[in-house]
Amino acid sequence: MNKVYACIDGHAGAVSVIDWSAWASRRLDAPLELLHVLERAVDSATADYTGAIGLGAQEALLQRLGELDAARGQLAQEAGRQMLAAGQAHALAAGVSACSTRLRHGELVDAALEIEPQARLFVLGQHHRDPRPVRRHLDHHLERLIRAVQRPVLVSTGAFAVPERFAIAYDGSATAQRAVERVAQSPLLAGLPAELVMAGRDTAAHREALATAQQHLKAAGFTVSTTLLDGEPEQQLPAHLKAVGASLLVIGAYGHTRIREWIVGSTTTALLRVSEIPVLVLR
């Protein structure tokens, strides 16, 4: 469990993913590996036409479709290799001491689960972000990977900038407390000013929970403040984080059952959807 894995594809956000991965690799003193997964695309050129032979399709046409499919696969592999090579050069130029590459066929989640025993952190980008505070519907690959793996996942947004301060979304739950403990134990965010932010009613219990978490981080050497916001996290946090200039949001992942999430929605998913800054998801 010592590598930072950057999951990259052909989207514009791949450079940001590599930059965040390089930053994390240096902070954790861990080698970096770039992962690109070639998933099979089903379209008019690659579909199975064997059932159409009886409808008059010619054998030569089927053979030609097969050749196009093979050529498409070879081009995708070559494009993937070139993208990984360019990403490797970019990471080394960013100061990473060791950077390898990995090209896989199949599904991203399957590849992530296979390499998870060697992983310390996964980094990937979100392909779209909806500013509406709706609780469901996140980037399909992103949500599947976060739910599948047990390692931390850093989700990049926009262009990379070296983080200067971070915030932890804290609700007093066991999941949030584990996130605080993981932050306290890791060198990833050491030395950065922190803020514990809770969204909810202003009660003595909430303030006591914030104070306890604050003391935990102070004992680990962090300079940390606390804020209690009135309202729902996905409605109040984005504006607050923007106002205070937070560079990174830390959240715990999916602390409730899938049945409860199906009924009332997941705060984790909602925050990932609306956050304008990168999010570090901790299990």
Side-chain angles (χ1 to χ4, degrees):
M1 192 181 83
N2 63 350
K3 282 187 178 180
V4 174
Y5 284 97
C7 306
I8 62 173
D9 54 22
H11 289 78
V15 174
S16 176
V17 171
I18 295 172
D19 287 335
W20 273 104
S21 303
W23 172 80
S25 173
R26 296 193 303 271
R27 299 279 296 190
L28 296 171
D29 192 22
L32 171 61
E33 184 158 300
L34 308 183
L35 170 66
H36 177 56
V37 177
L38 292 171
E39 296 184 332
R40 180 176 175 81
V42 178
D43 54 29
S44 58
T46 59
D48 182 2
Y49 285 91
T50 53
I53 292 177
L55 300 178
Q58 300 298 312
E59 185 176 348
L61 177 59
L62 296 178
Q63 181 178 351
R64 180 58 179 156
L65 287 171
E67 293 171 354
L68 288 173
D69 194 16
R72 183 190 181 98
Q74 291 175 356
L75 287 173
Q77 288 187 52
E78 181 58 27
R81 282 192 287 268
Q82 291 187 17
M83 180 174 60
L84 286 170
Q88 185 181 41
H90 186 90
L92 293 173
V96 173
S97 58
C99 180
S100 56
T101 64
R102 183 185 296 250
L103 182 63
R104 287 289 311 275
H105 291 265
E107 295 287 335
L108 173 61
V109 171
D110 294 336
L113 288 173
E114 181 179 316
I115 61 179
E116 187 174 15
Q118 295 81 45
R120 189 164 181 179
L121 172 70
F122 290 100
V123 184
L124 67 163
Q126 186 175 176
H127 290 165
H128 60 80
R129 185 181 60 79
D130 192 333
R132 296 171 300 174
V134 182
R135 286 178 176 267
R136 294 176 186 165
H137 306 307
L138 184 66
D139 182 315
H140 174 66
H141 290 95
L142 176 61
E143 182 165 6
R144 283 191 65 205
L145 188 142
I146 292 175
R147 288 187 181 278
V149 302
Q150 297 300 310
R151 302 288 187 250
V153 179
L154 197 160
V155 183
S156 71
T157 59
F160 171 76
V162 176
E164 297 180 349
R165 58 189 303 112
F166 70 97
I168 302 175
Y170 188 78
D171 62 4
S173 66
T175 301
Q177 185 56 39
R178 283 196 297 272
V180 169
E181 293 171 359
R182 297 288 297 274
V183 169
Q185 295 167 0
S186 172
L188 184 65
L189 302 174
L192 297 179
E195 179 185 25
L196 284 160
V197 186
M198 177 181 285
R201 291 186 301 165
D202 188 352
T203 65
H206 284 164
R207 291 197 173 277
E208 182 178 353
L210 278 172
T212 301
Q214 182 184 34
Q215 288 303 314
H216 194 96
L217 288 173
K218 281 185 173 180
F222 284 90
T223 299
V224 55
S225 60
T226 63
T227 299
L228 183 55
L229 303 172
D230 183 18
E232 295 296 321
E234 62 270 30
Q235 295 172 342
Q236 300 300 324
L237 268 176
H240 175 77
L241 297 175
K242 187 175 183 178
V244 301
S247 309
L248 180 69
L249 174 63
V250 180
I251 61 176
Y254 303 112
H256 298 108
T257 66
R258 294 299 295 269
I259 294 177
R260 183 184 186 279
E261 289 174 9
W262 186 81
I263 296 173
V264 302
S266 163
T267 301
T268 304
T269 298
L271 288 177
L272 281 165
R273 289 188 65 259
V274 302
S275 179
E276 297 182 5
I277 62 176
V279 179
L280 176 62
V281 184
L282 301 176
R283 301 304 297 258

